[in-house]
């Protein structure tokens, strides 16, 4: 109920204006690198200095016109060049939402945009991961992934453990050279397609982890959940995966002490680092994940002069 409230708030322009006008810059900065590529590069450098890899996400999922989609493509191409010139690749890659590239307007054009970003990434010596969005886009996104992988085999997939179909998708994708990020899933999904209880989602996560860790691909374990992280560490030992043969991924600003602990243990740890003007929907999804974040936000808003 609490989670759905915040996921609904992600679409509220009124609340966005309130949050924007409130002195919550600290709250936003905790989860978002900044509005510009300059800020994203600065934070990427700081994380690299701490031994952390990054996946940069340009926040822009509210794409309603082809002009916006083209601007998003151009932003990614430009930031990839800058990451390369700053010596931040290959440790820095990018995460891309096909919706931001116009998937809902014209699927073919969205594919072309994703292709241009993959080509820029290859030129910059790094790669791209296609974020997973709500379940109505899963088939189209996985089809696009397979198409892109013909030319850019390291393009990463994201699978959401809350979807009932995901175990099957893990089996399909646990092949040599296949990079797969496994996460719980961040959207409000109906019972017909998704597990509803936290326990069922966790159990699905472990089943998927077993498939990916025992398979031939490169698992990217994207969770902050201490129990699932411990299980992933255990499965890596069980299936004889050395530190470079899988990675942990965590969101910027979430459990930074755990990020440091995992990196100090020799693991590859990649931080998902969002930046851009459209920070609001992203922030609401992070709030939906944890009640304590909401108390923090409420305090910031009520302290508005
Ligand atoms: C690198 C990365 C990429 C992702 N990509 C996608 C994607 O493409 N598509 C998609 O649907 N979802 C994506 N997600 C989001 C994911 O699906 C979950 O919604 C999110 O990670 C919370 O789930 P959790 O596994 O951390 O477990 P939870 O059970 O939500 O959290 C476990 C613990 O982690 C801490 N924690 C979790 N979230 C927060 C927070 N926001 N603030 C403070 N502490 C927190 C708390 O201590 C909590 O008890 C991604 C997540 C990560 C880490």
């Amino acid at each position: 109920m609490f989670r759905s409230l915040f996921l609904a708030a992600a679409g509220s322009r009124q609340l966005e204006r309130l949050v924007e006008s409130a002195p919550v810059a600290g709250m936003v900065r905790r989860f978002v690198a900044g509005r510009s590529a300059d800020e994203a590069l600065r934070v990427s450098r700081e994380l690299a200095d701490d031994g952390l890899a990054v996946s940069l996400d340009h926040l822009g999922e509210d794409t309603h016109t082809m002009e916006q989609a083209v601007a998003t493509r151009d932003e990614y191409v430009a930031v990839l060049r800058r990451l390369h010139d700053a010596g931040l690749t290959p440790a820095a890659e990018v995460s891309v939402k096909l919706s931001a590239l116009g998937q809902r307007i014209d699927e073919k054009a969205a594919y072309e945009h994703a292709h241009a970003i993959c080509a820029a990434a290859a030129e910059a010596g790094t790669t791209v991961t296609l974020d997973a969005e709500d379940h109505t886009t899963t088939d189209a996104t996985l089809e696009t992934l397979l198409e892109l992988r013909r030319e850019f085999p390291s393009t990463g997939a994201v699978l959401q453990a809350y979807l009932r179909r995901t175990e099957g998708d893990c089996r399909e994708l646990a092949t040599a050279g296949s990079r797969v990020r496994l996460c719980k899933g961040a959207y409000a999904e109906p019972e017909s397609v998704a597990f509803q209880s936290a326990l069922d989602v966790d159990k699905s996560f472990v089943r998927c982890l077993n498939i990916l860790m025992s398979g031939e691909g490169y698992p990217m374990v994207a969770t902050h959940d201490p129990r699932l992280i411990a299980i992933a560490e255990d499965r890596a030992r069980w299936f004889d995966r050395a530190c470079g043969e899988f990675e942990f991924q965590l969101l910027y600003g979430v459990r930074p002490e755990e990020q440091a602990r995992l990196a100090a243990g020799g693991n590859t740890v990649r931080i998902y680092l969002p930046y851009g003007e459209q920070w609001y929907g992203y922030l609401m999804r992070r709030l939906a994940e944890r009640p304590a974040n909401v108390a923090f936000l409420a305090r910031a808003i009520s302290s508005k002069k």
Side-chain angles (χ1 to χ4, degrees):
M1 144 87 176
F2 164 84
R3 186 165 173 266
S4 343
L5 207 67
F6 269 85
L7 292 177
S12 160
R13 290 276 160 247
Q14 230 176 350
L15 190 60
E16 177 173 358
R17 277 195 295 276
L18 175 66
V19 174
E20 194 159 33
S21 66
V24 293
M27 178 85 203
V28 179
R29 258 203 312 274
R30 180 177 155 198
F31 293 110
V32 177
R35 288 175 181 247
S36 68
D38 281 349
E39 289 166 292
L41 259 83
R42 184 182 53 73
V43 178
S44 298
R45 164 71 61 207
E46 285 170 13
L47 293 170
D49 290 346
D50 289 339
L52 299 165
V54 302
S55 190
L56 266 191
D57 166 39
H58 179 250
L59 295 167
E61 52 204 286
D62 272 353
T63 295
H64 301 296
T65 66
M66 218 14 94
E67 288 71 34
Q68 286 172 305
V70 167
T72 301
R73 177 201 65 192
D74 293 348
E75 173 68 31
Y76 271 107
V77 168
V79 88
L80 279 160
R81 279 200 199 112
R82 293 189 60 186
L83 286 170
H84 174 262
D85 294 348
L88 288 164
T89 54
E93 59 144 47
V94 295
S95 284
V96 174
K97 284 188 175 52
L98 288 175
S99 65
L101 299 180
Q103 189 183 40
R104 288 191 197 99
I105 311 167
D106 178 346
E107 246 176 59
K108 191 160 178 295
Y111 168 80
E112 295 299 337
H113 296 155
H115 185 277
I117 296 170
C118 288
E123 211 167 294
T126 187
T127 188
V128 175
T129 296
L130 295 186
D131 280 348
E133 302 184 64
D134 74 77
H135 79 278
T136 61
T137 63
T138 309
D139 279 328
T141 299
L142 292 180
E143 275 161 32
T144 300
L145 174 90
L146 293 182
E147 199 60 39
L148 290 169
R149 276 189 176 175
R150 286 183 220 275
E151 209 174 328
F152 309 104
S154 61
T155 308
V158 179
L159 297 177
Q160 298 152 313
Y162 65 15
L163 292 185
R164 297 178 191 276
R165 60 177 284 167
T166 293
E167 249 184 281
D169 290 332
C170 285
R171 274 190 208 98
E172 295 268 310
L173 290 176
T175 53
S178 167
R179 295 168 64 249
V180 180
R181 175 196 301 160
L182 177 65
C183 63
K184 288 189 184 180
Y187 297 79
E189 298 286 17
E191 220 217 314
S192 52
V193 297
F195 299 111
Q196 302 293 306
S197 78
L199 180 63
D200 284 341
V201 176
D202 288 0
K203 286 201 270 195
S204 168
F205 195 107
V206 174
R207 289 194 299 273
C208 292
L209 196 57
N210 289 341
I211 296 167
L212 296 176
M213 284 288 194
S214 62
E216 292 179 43
Y218 180 77
M220 305 188 280
V221 184
T223 181
H224 315 97
D225 189 324
R227 221 153 51 107
L228 294 179
I229 290 175
I231 292 172
E233 288 176 308
D234 174 71
R235 294 307 188 269
R237 276 191 297 274
W238 181 260
F239 291 113
D240 248 349
R241 279 185 182 264
C243 280
E245 293 171 342
F246 73 103
E247 68 184 43
F248 287 104
Q249 297 193 344
L250 296 94
L251 302 177
Y252 181 60
V254 179
R255 302 198 66 207
E257 66 302 327
E258 179 66 359
Q259 300 175 5
R261 182 193 74 82
L262 288 167
N267 295 291
T268 300
V269 181
R270 189 176 304 280
I271 306 306
Y272 186 97
L273 182 62
Y275 77 99
E277 295 292 336
Q278 288 187 39
W279 49 268
Y280 175 75
Y282 178 84
L283 181 67
M284 287 300 127
R285 283 202 295 280
R286 302 292 75 83
L287 293 178
E289 282 156 7
R290 196 166 177 248
N293 290 341
V294 182
F296 191 36
L297 176 73
R299 271 201 305 279
I301 291 178
S302 64
S303 71
K304 186 179 169 210
K305 296 282 180 283

